[in-house]
Amino acid sequence: MMNNPWKKDFPQLTDGSVYFDTAATSLKPQSVIEAVNHYYHDLSANIHRGMYEAAVITTELYERTRETVAHFINANPEEVIYTRSTTAGLNMVSYIYGLEKLNEGDEIIVSELEHHSSFLPWQNVAKKTGALIRFIELNQEGRITVEAFKKVLNDKTKVVALTYVSNVMGYITPIKEIIELAHQYQAIVIVDAAQAIQHIKVDVKDLDCDFLAFSGHKMLGPTGIGILFGKYALLKELDPMEYGGDMNEDVNKDVSTWKEAPFKFEAGTMPIASVLGLEAAIRYIENIGIQNIHEHVTKVHRYALAQLNQISGITIYNKGSETGIISFNIDNVPSHDAITFFAEKKVALRAGQHCAKLICDWLGIYSCMRASIYIYNTYKDVDLLVETVKQAVEYFQELGF
Amino acid sequence: MTGLDNLYREIIMEHYKNPRNKGLVENQDYRLFRIKNPSCGDDITIQTLVVDGIIKDCRHIGHGCSISMASASVLTELMIGKSVEEAEKIADNYLNMVANKEYDENIDLEEAEVFSGVRQFPARIKCASIAWVAFKDTLK
Ligand SMILES: Cc1ncc(COP(=O)(O)O)c(C=O)c1O
């Protein structure tokens, strides 16, 4: 492979460390850092309020970003809500839709692949409304299949909350087919796109999803900003979750009114710098092209798997992963013991349950290590990873694990 | 010795492979406390029997990394026979040591001294602490 043309854009990588933890949070390119700095250094104004120049420019950039996001996921700008993160977006849906619309006996379909942020909000809704949670039975490989989905879908299904890409297994859910089926039963579908948005083209019109959430910080953007897409017809109907400044239209002692969507869902001062940084992140991704990103990740992933497959003494749980995520354990070594070895060698991985305990239970493990690959990872990074895995196997075997 | 060898000392491995006082007993006189760490999957329960201010028995069960398991085993062995007052003092001192805080080197930590290497691994402080924190809760 030729020199990686993108690595130089990431100032975090200059110390020689190797970063395989994009699934937790991606690195940030210089252009994103500059966009955030531009706000704090040159603007530092609030939006939708001031009449002075910095306030006007800030408002323009804030709303231009909404258009950039909308274009990126093929939505309309008024369907794009700024949130804190995927977690905040998914929770918001559970409040504004779940708690409002669901009743005893209604059913909510989820899967064991869900991140806790796509499962716990619905467990809460179920508890409070008397609705029932149903799990799609995963296939042998641990995938959500359309066939298995059909078995739990029925007239009582009101909500389907599923991950687009699993943060442990890296599988792509056949979400488009699932959405089509769910709509035949008048159920709405909420898509957790936190691990999809940085790897594959997400097109909300093509998917026809009702809600879809993702985080800026996993797609080269800043922390503190996420996006919740919602179909306008739904957003128009639903009440705000938070009340306060900027979201209202007219405030009176007796009754008050709200702005139109999406503004009624953005109460108070939003993370403006992070919004502007998110636009830079999307531009960065668009400049490379999501297809090129996917191809690069796939190449590096294949290269890694080919070598890891040769190592005895480790178990890989997701050899069919489609998004550069490798979840594995060194046999007989708890992941928190193993991870320390990698940290010492300056190879950044993650160990634990990855906020997805249900899939750990399904796999029959307490925890695992996860290496996740992105554009700045090279074959050389993989060589170091593989070498470190081999050393770790040997080291822990010698210790008597 | 490399940093990692400082962590994985022989005594620690020995306790990990042959844990002492493992398994709980069915007895209402024991006080029990369980701590789960959802980020790493550690899950430890400590069970303590106190009679007349003396720790007569101390047991543990659970799963987790070698450091958390071994520290539970060392804990139970060390605490049996101590007075509650002594035990609390030792536990506090141990917790300060692994967290790289100031601690009293005159208090004898006995075998638990081997966990001093944890100080160089801030990410592992929790692993070495979890059983000891649970133990303190059994004394409350
Ligand atoms: C699949 C998935 N969903 C949701 C989340 C939650 O994202 P955040 O922590 O940014 O809210 C994550 C990230 O940890 C994830 O991987």
Side-chain angles (χ1 to χ4, degrees), chain A residues 23-24 84-88 90 113-118 163-168 192-195 214-218 225 350 354-355 370:
Chain A
R84 173 172 52 82
S85 64
T86 309
T87 303
L90 297 175
L113 282 178
E114 299 320 300
H115 186 277
H116 293 161
S117 62
S118 175
T163 190
Y164 199 160
V165 169
S166 154
N167 69 321
V168 175
D192 172 359
Q195 299 290 350
F214 56 92
S215 299
H217 71 95
K218 292 182 201 280
I225 179 67
R350 183 164 168 203
H354 315 286
C355 306
R370 178 183 70 187

Side-chain angles (χ1 to χ4, degrees), chain B residues 29-31 47-58 78-88 135 138-139:
Chain B
D29 298 335
Y30 281 72
R31 297 282 303 273
Q47 199 186 29
T48 309
L49 177 67
V50 177
V51 180
D52 299 333
I54 303 291
I55 295 164
K56 287 287 179 198
D57 195 12
C58 186
L78 189 151
M79 291 304 179
I80 295 172
K82 299 274 189 304
S83 72
V84 168
E85 203 182 330
E86 253 180 310
E88 276 177 336
F135 168 73
T138 66
L139 300 181

Side-chain angles (χ1 to χ4, degrees), chain A residues 248-292:
Chain A
N248 57 75
E249 192 176 62
D250 185 21
V251 176
N252 301 289
K253 274 186 173 170
D254 45 2
V255 277
S256 301
T257 54
W258 324 129
K259 285 183 179 167
E260 299 290 334
F263 306 107
K264 69 176 169 184
F265 298 107
E266 293 171 11
T269 299
M270 299 297 286
I272 301 167
S274 297
V275 169
L276 306 197
L278 178 63
E279 180 176 51
I282 292 174
R283 294 230 188 282
Y284 188 89
I285 288 176
E286 283 178 332
N287 276 338
I288 300 175
I290 198 85
Q291 190 54 32
N292 291 330

Side-chain angles (χ1 to χ4, degrees), chain A residues 236-248:
Chain A
K236 194 174 152 68
E237 284 290 302
L238 296 170
D239 284 334
M241 184 178 89
E242 290 184 323
Y243 298 86
D246 214 31
M247 54 73 68
N248 57 75

Side-chain angles (χ1 to χ4, degrees), chain A residues 105-312:
Chain A
D106 288 344
E107 294 188 1
I108 301 163
I109 296 179
V110 297
S111 84
E112 286 151 292
L113 282 178
E114 299 320 300
H115 186 277
H116 293 161
S117 62
S118 175
F119 168 59
L120 294 178
W122 296 106
Q123 193 176 49
N124 178 52
V125 168
K127 198 174 117 201
K128 295 210 166 114
T129 62
L132 192 80
I133 299 257
R134 301 199 58 161
F135 286 88
I136 302 172
E137 194 182 337
L138 302 179
N139 78 0
Q140 266 185 328
E141 220 189 330
R143 285 178 189 275
I144 297 168
T145 61
V146 175
E147 284 317 304
F149 174 70
K150 282 184 190 159
K151 290 195 186 132
V152 284
L153 179 67
N154 64 56
D155 290 331
K156 291 186 226 142
T157 308
K158 289 290 178 313
V159 164
V160 178
L162 291 177
T163 190
Y164 199 160
V165 169
S166 154
N167 69 321
V168 175
M169 305 301 266
Y171 301 146
I172 301 173
T173 306
I175 199 75
K176 191 177 164 180
E177 294 88 329
I178 285 174
I179 291 167
E180 201 179 330
L181 286 166
H183 284 167
Q184 289 171 15
Y185 287 79
Q186 276 75 51
I188 66 151
V189 182
I190 300 124
V191 181
D192 172 359
Q195 299 290 350
I197 194 77
Q198 65 283 57
H199 286 287
I200 55 177
K201 176 70 193 161
V202 172
D203 181 330
V204 295
K205 289 214 172 81
D206 179 53
L207 292 179
D208 197 28
C209 53
D210 299 283
F211 292 98
L212 179 139
F214 56 92
S215 299
H217 71 95
K218 292 182 201 280
M219 52 173 297
L220 310 180
T223 57
I225 179 67
I227 296 295
L228 175 65
F229 158 84
K231 272 187 185 161
Y232 195 74
L234 282 164
L235 296 185
K236 194 174 152 68
E237 284 290 302
L238 296 170
D239 284 334
M241 184 178 89
E242 290 184 323
Y243 298 86
D246 214 31
M247 54 73 68
N248 57 75
E249 192 176 62
D250 185 21
V251 176
N252 301 289
K253 274 186 173 170
D254 45 2
V255 277
S256 301
T257 54
W258 324 129
K259 285 183 179 167
E260 299 290 334
F263 306 107
K264 69 176 169 184
F265 298 107
E266 293 171 11
T269 299
M270 299 297 286
I272 301 167
S274 297
V275 169
L276 306 197
L278 178 63
E279 180 176 51
I282 292 174
R283 294 230 188 282
Y284 188 89
I285 288 176
E286 283 178 332
N287 276 338
I288 300 175
I290 198 85
Q291 190 54 32
N292 291 330
I293 291 175
H294 189 62
E295 275 167 27
H296 173 79
V297 169
T298 304
K299 252 197 274 183
V300 177
H301 181 217
R302 284 215 190 105
Y303 179 75
L305 267 191
Q307 295 184 69
L308 292 172
N309 277 335
Q310 305 298 316
I311 301 174
S312 61

